[in-house]
Amino acid sequence: MSAEPRALLYAIERELKVLSWWQSVPPPAKALASTEPFCLDTLTFPQWLQFVLLPRMQALIDAGAPLPTRISVYPMAIESFKELAEDTRALEEAIARLDEALSGQQVSREG
């Protein structure tokens, strides 16, 4: 594995904070229980990263459980961020590196 997943999760958290997207109050449990991919019907993509992806991945790491090898978060990040004024390149790169670390596959970068 090229990059340490724990460090990449931290990088994603750091970039969410840099962009002022980190929230101190979690969404309601009902929003987190969505069955849609990325909880698209109840959460923003940054909320999904903070309240679904990061805690689930951290729990797997802490438990010593196998990490997913079929993961593709980067394309969703590109789609979610393309209309935003904020500079999301560092966050996109951290997400791409997480995809690569877990899948073992090179991610095709946009731009």
Side-chain angles (χ1 to χ4, degrees):
M1 216 173 271
S2 58
E4 169 69 31
R6 187 184 306 269
L8 295 171
L9 295 177
Y10 175 73
I12 292 169
E13 176 180 333
R14 184 181 64 243
E15 291 307 320
L16 287 170
K17 289 176 178 175
V18 165
L19 291 162
S20 299
W21 291 347
W22 192 260
Q23 295 179 221
S24 56
V25 178
K30 183 177 181 183
L32 296 171
S34 169
T35 57
E36 292 292 314
F38 304 105
C39 299
L40 276 176
D41 57 338
T42 58
L43 300 177
T44 66
F45 185 67
Q47 286 175 318
W48 180 82
L49 290 170
Q50 179 181 350
F51 295 107
V52 179
L53 179 72
L54 294 180
R56 287 185 185 170
M57 295 297 292
Q58 193 61 55
L60 290 173
I61 291 169
D62 292 348
L67 298 177
T69 56
R70 292 182 60 210
I71 184 168
S72 187
V73 179
Y74 179 72
M76 183 64 189
I78 294 300
E79 185 63 27
S80 295
F81 301 151
K82 70 181 180 184
E83 301 295 326
L84 301 179
E86 292 91 346
D87 182 352
T88 58
R89 287 176 295 191
L91 179 56
E92 291 167 15
E93 183 60 23
I95 291 168
R97 290 180 58 216
L98 180 66
D99 278 4
E100 290 172 346
L102 296 177
S103 71
Q105 304 290 317
Q106 184 72 29
V107 170
S108 175
R109 304 296 202 280
E110 300 285 318

